Amino acid sequence: MTSFFGSVFWLLVTLGVLVTFHEFGHYWVARRCGVKVLRFSVGFGNAIWKRIGRDGTEYCIAAIPLGGYVKMLDAREGEVDPALADQEFTGKPVWQRIAIVLAGPGFNLVFTVLALWLMFVLGKPDVAPVVTAAPHSLAAQAGVRPGDRLLKVDGKAVSAWSDAYESIAMATLGRGPLPLEVRDPDGGVRDLLLPLQQLPAGKAVDEYMDALGLDLNPPPPVAAVVTPGQPAALAGLRSGDRIVSVNGQAVADFDALNKLIPQEAARSPTLRIVVQRGGQTLPFTVQAHMASLQGQPEKWLIGVGPAEREPAVRRYGPLEAVGAALASTRDGVAAMLTMIGKLVTGEASTKNLSGVIGIAQAAQVSAQMGPAWFLSFLAQISLCLAVLNLLPIPVLDGGHLLYYLIELVKGSPVSERTMIIGQYIGLAVLFMLMGLAFYNDIHRTLLS
């Protein structure tokens, strides 16, 4: 339940910030163009807070926080006082109406750059892309070995696991051979080719990544942390002990240890653990106990922790961060357009669509990882809002932009009948996409 309320809270924070910024773009440019703004609303439905500004605009926060809008003086919505005719939206030149429409997505792009700039200045904590491959997986087939460090993905240098993961995940949508450059623990550099063409069609990206079998290399089975007062410490284990076996079963790495302890303790909490310490092999009897870590369900634990993975923090000075933020925004736009193109052509599955539930879950996870990660998440969602709002779908900003571009070409506005038909089509498309995204979210939640 705590996780649920946390997700809702961070979803509201995300939508509140990004919707306000988006609608402020429309509002600010409309005011610069001399259009009277009647209402600036964050959310839909009944207002839970409102006030009238000195400019006569009603500012309000509404009960349904899944969007927002700016209502301008518009002759299509009723009679306009002749005294205010020069402040009416449809009476403005078409280039001003285009500017007002573009301002919302434009401000989202600005927000993306600002969020990424601050993220790079703060430094985004990450880990080095030192990887392993699951046995018999496509990554193993390509020649990935435990301890390999990814240097380049498709010719692009990577220094952190999240960057490498994102590049590979996007490449799975194309399902074509993907070049990698790796360095093994001995310093040798090799060129590999991931056979993504062997991935089946019609799967979600996370399913492709599971099939690929590429993951971070697990830490060795060394008890880098031995918590005082816990079973391992009480039995005599010390920090730095290398765990060789549990109940006679060999331990290859710390991930294997985490699976083996609950498995063996479920049979009997008394565990026979053998460790290596300073050239000696020492046996211990450890009494495991049931406990919970960070709000997770209870499981059998002995109170040992692994060594931290090699850190990889991307941090720049204020000036360098500008270039990095702009480059990341450019790459993000390209990735979004690629994804949309593949969805339209059927190369990418609609299983990749995610909705409000997915955004809420991702918002909470990123917030828990720290300010830099949450800024990165906000930047991604803001970029999505910018690109998706520019799609030529009626009721979106891109649909209005399409109408105004047609008006520029034909020299007169699109007929009201055409606009009404377009709105119905646009609403149908949006509801279909929202329903599909919601179904995907529910499906993922039930399977997780």
Side-chain angles (χ1 to χ4, degrees):
M1 188 60 70
T2 301
S3 177
F4 170 78
F5 285 115
S7 297
V8 171
F9 172 78
W10 288 110
L11 173 67
L12 295 179
V13 171
T14 299
L15 294 180
V17 170
L18 298 184
V19 168
T20 300
F21 215 83
H22 178 96
E23 298 303 333
F24 182 74
H26 292 309
Y27 166 85
W28 188 81
V29 174
R31 292 297 306 275
R32 301 287 83 71
C33 292
V35 175
K36 182 173 179 58
V37 178
L38 302 177
R39 182 180 299 120
F40 185 122
S41 177
V42 177
F44 299 109
N46 295 329
I48 57 177
W49 174 89
K50 63 181 177 181
R51 73 175 184 86
I52 305 297
R54 286 182 296 179
D55 56 1
T57 300
E58 179 185 74
Y59 300 90
C60 68
I61 298 175
I64 306 173
L66 299 179
Y69 63 94
V70 169
K71 183 177 181 180
M72 301 173 222
L73 186 63
D74 193 322
R76 294 169 298 185
E77 298 179 4
E79 291 187 17
V80 174
D81 186 336
L84 300 175
D86 61 335
Q87 300 180 54
E88 191 267 330
F89 176 75
T90 62
K92 295 297 180 180
V94 66
W95 67 266
Q96 288 190 345
R97 283 177 274 144
I98 288 174
I100 293 170
V101 166
L102 285 175
F107 268 54
N108 278 133
L109 283 176
V110 171
F111 182 92
T112 299
V113 174
L114 290 175
L116 289 173
W117 175 84
L118 184 55
M119 179 200 76
F120 284 126
V121 170
L122 292 175
K124 182 182 177 183
D126 211 325
V127 294
V130 179
V131 298
T132 190
H136 313 299
S137 64
L138 292 182
Q141 178 182 325
V144 175
R145 305 168 190 161
D148 280 345
R149 180 186 296 264
L150 295 176
L151 302 177
K152 292 182 180 179
V153 176
D154 200 16
K156 180 182 176 182
V158 292
S159 59
W161 171 240
S162 62
D163 294 334
Y165 186 95
E166 184 177 336
S167 297
I168 296 170
M170 284 301 301
T172 62
L173 295 175
R175 294 188 297 116
L178 179 66
L180 299 180
E181 184 179 298
V182 303
R183 184 171 66 233
D184 60 40
D186 296 326
V189 176
R190 313 191 314 278
D191 290 321
L192 307 177
L193 199 64
L194 284 180
L196 303 186
Q197 71 276 10
Q198 296 183 27
L199 292 170
K203 301 293 183 180
V205 167
D206 55 353
E207 294 177 294
Y208 283 145
M209 294 302 289
D210 288 343
L212 192 57
L214 187 71
D215 205 348
L216 283 170
N217 197 42
V222 174
V225 178
V226 179
T227 307
Q230 295 297 304
L234 294 175
L237 270 72
R238 300 176 187 171
S239 177
D241 284 348
R242 185 182 187 91
I243 299 175
V244 177
S245 66
V246 176
N247 287 354
Q249 299 191 51
V251 180
D253 52 54
F254 212 92
D255 284 359
L257 178 67
N258 278 336
K259 294 176 183 176
L260 195 55
I261 288 174
Q263 175 185 312
E264 292 298 309
R267 297 172 183 166
S268 171
T270 304
L271 305 176
R272 301 184 310 279
I273 295 180
V274 177
V275 307
Q276 285 183 345
R277 179 191 298 168
Q280 293 182 300
T281 300
L282 305 173
F284 294 92
T285 299
V286 179
Q287 193 73 23
H289 70 162
M290 290 289 286
S292 174
L293 288 177
Q294 298 177 346
Q296 297 178 357
E298 285 193 341
K299 64 178 182 178
W300 292 103
L301 299 172
I302 64 171
V304 297
E308 291 187 2
R309 288 188 168 98
E310 180 186 340
V313 179
R314 293 185 65 187
R315 181 181 288 115
Y316 301 100
L319 291 179
E320 287 180 299
V322 173
L326 290 171
S328 292
T329 302
R330 177 201 62 209
D331 293 344
V333 170
M336 276 288 298
L337 293 176
T338 298
M339 170 68 87
I340 292 170
K342 291 185 181 300
L343 285 171
V344 171
T345 60
E347 292 181 72
S349 171
T350 54
K351 292 180 181 179
N352 291 294
L353 294 175
S354 187
V356 173
I357 297 175
I359 293 173
Q361 293 169 339
Q364 184 185 24
V365 170
S366 62
Q368 290 173 339
M369 294 174 70
W373 278 92
F374 189 59
L375 284 167
S376 175
F377 168 76
L378 286 177
Q380 291 177 19
I381 301 301
S382 185
L383 187 62
C384 287
L385 285 175
V387 174
L388 294 177
N389 261 290
L390 287 175
L391 293 178
I393 299 175
V395 310
L396 294 180
D397 291 331
H400 295 294
L401 180 62
L402 177 63
Y403 291 148
Y404 300 145
L405 292 176
I406 293 173
E407 181 178 339
L408 276 176
V409 172
K410 67 190 288 280
S412 61
V414 174
S415 70
E416 186 174 346
R417 182 172 181 273
T418 299
M419 293 183 69
I420 291 173
I421 293 173
Q423 286 180 335
Y424 282 124
I425 294 173
L427 286 171
V429 171
L430 281 183
F431 281 127
M432 180 185 69
L433 292 175
M434 289 169 63
L436 185 57
F438 185 73
Y439 169 81
N440 288 342
D441 285 346
I442 295 295
H443 186 66
R444 291 190 197 102
T445 301
L446 292 177
L447 290 180
S448 63

